[in-house]
Amino acid sequence: EEYFVESGGGLVQAGGSLRLSCQASGFSFGDLAIGWFRQAPGKEREGVTCYSSRDDKTNYKPFVEGRFTMSTDMSKSTVYLQMNNLKVEDTAVYYCAASPKFCGSYYYYQPNVEYWGQGIRVTVSE
């Protein structure tokens, strides 16, 4: 069975930091674009960041650029999302995701996502 396991969410005050982890099980994401989406309460799910090793490209959406950093540890089949200077508006359920497309607009098009994490809640308080 192929799936992701996410961890690291929780409650943090505005200005604080959290690190999310997402480990692949049953498959290797080395040839896939990997990244994160999020869904805030009452809103649609949106892309946050992605990386594809095939072209060594990383993309961050403007609302997280400079605050969030994604990294991968291929030896552990794990992708991380370091979130610094968190804002109340970052409150959401975060999903790791993998797509056979390259990082960019095709990755963020959700029907292209092949694997989804189960989602992990991040709550940022004032």
Side-chain angles (χ1 to χ4, degrees), residues 11-121:
L11 173 65
V12 65
Q13 285 189 323
S17 299
L18 281 175
R19 189 176 82 153
L20 305 183
S21 299
C22 176
Q23 185 173 30
S25 179
F27 70 101
S28 171
F29 58 73
D31 291 332
L32 303 173
I34 188 81
W36 296 85
F37 288 75
R38 71 183 186 185
Q39 187 167 20
K43 295 186 177 181
E44 294 186 353
R45 189 161 52 189
E46 61 182 357
V48 176
T49 180
C50 61
Y51 169 74
S52 48
S53 61
R54 287 170 291 168
D55 58 358
D56 196 26
K57 177 181 177 181
T58 304
N59 176 269
Y60 295 95
K61 287 300 184 80
F63 49 80
V64 301
E65 191 158 20
R67 300 188 298 121
F68 289 15
T69 303
M70 189 178 73
S71 59
T72 59
D73 185 337
M74 302 303 289
S75 68
K76 297 181 180 179
S77 296
T78 300
V79 57
Y80 303 96
L81 185 64
Q82 177 67 42
M83 305 184 294
N84 297 329
N85 190 22
L86 282 159
K87 303 177 180 180
V88 173
E89 51 264 42
D90 293 320
T91 294
V93 176
Y94 284 74
Y95 299 87
C96 61
S99 166
K101 304 298 183 182
F102 286 88
C103 173
S105 58
Y106 289 106
Y107 171 85
Y108 292 128
Y109 181 60
Q110 296 182 42
N112 286 334
V113 171
E114 189 167 325
Y115 300 99
W116 288 99
Q118 82 278 13
I120 191 160
R121 188 172 301 276

